[in-house]
Amino acid sequence: MKSLSSRQLLRLILVIQALAALGIGLAAVNILGASRWEGLLAGLGSVVLVRLLINANNFFMSARYASPTPQDFRIKPLAALRMFGEEFTASMLQSSWTMPRARPCTRVYADSASPPVLLLHGYGCNSGYWSHLTPRLDAARISHATVDLEPLTGDIDDYAPRVQQAVEQLLAATSRDKVVIVAHSMGGLVARAWMRACGSARVARVITLGTPHHGTCLAAFGIGINAAQMRRVMQDEPPECAWLRDLAQGEDAGARALVTSLYSHHDNIISPQTSSELPGARNLAFGGVGHVALGRNARVLDVVMREIAGGGDRERVY
């Protein structure tokens, strides 16, 4: 039996949410005597509340395993509330609007002076995750392509041939010899696994956003082979799972030097947050940004665009 794609799964979840909202609304009208408008608000409000609680729980769970937040990155309650609102909005829009409608695409600008960019999404997502970065690439006339990494719960190593195919197609379409990879979360591990399997000769730079280079404790709550490959157990020594250790041992200094790791000290999925720090890579830290919001936050995307252009700073606090 063929497994569901991320797009199909998200559409199914939307249908279930709509049916749940309808059921709650009808119950409010028929049992509690609410008006139709009140029933509608009760149904929709219940779904939003559940999603809100799920998002809040992610922050709660990540706090249990969090790495110490450096003084320069500590935020006040109002900033924390804004961060939560941004993360909740990003999660709702991506899962309920952008990703259920998205399909992989390629845009080629023949006059572009920049290397083409291949975009790799993270766990449970698809190419629609990049809805805020692709307009920036279009505005800068930078050729780019998106892919869907499937099956949804597959082995990270098995995504490497799909990445290799996408790289070859993008380089052929743009008549270039090197590609920049921008990857969110698990996508960064996919990029590293691809370089281990196929080499890094055709890589200009790999830019990872919120990638669990040393695993995340929250992966224990995920399903699939790929979730298991991202697991981290704090009481174990070393805490990374065997797959992550093997991945690190299969890399040389040259491959690591190609990587720029952008991460947030307030990431609500990657915990401990410093798991995104990759030795030998350029590590750029942010504060006050959640995990999903990394792909739409203006501060983060400004840095991504500078990194694509090759004009990033070696070390900087954002």
Side-chain angles (χ1 to χ4, degrees), residues 150 154-162:
E150 296 176 351
D155 189 319
I156 291 176
D157 287 312
D158 289 345
Y159 296 139
R162 177 69 189 94

Side-chain angles (χ1 to χ4, degrees), residues 68-130:
T69 304
Q71 182 66 41
D72 290 343
F73 292 93
R74 294 178 185 174
I75 57 177
K76 295 180 179 180
L78 184 58
L81 187 61
R82 285 198 297 267
M83 175 184 68
F84 180 82
E86 180 187 41
E87 179 69 6
F88 174 68
T89 301
S91 300
M92 285 291 289
L93 289 177
Q94 293 284 24
S95 62
S96 301
W97 178 251
T98 316
M99 291 192 295
R101 302 166 53 246
R103 294 192 178 278
C105 66
T106 299
R107 298 291 296 274
V108 174
Y109 296 97
D111 59 345
S112 178
S114 298
V117 176
L118 180 65
L119 303 170
L120 303 179
H121 61 79
Y123 178 79
C125 298
N126 63 25
S127 54
Y129 177 79
W130 301 108

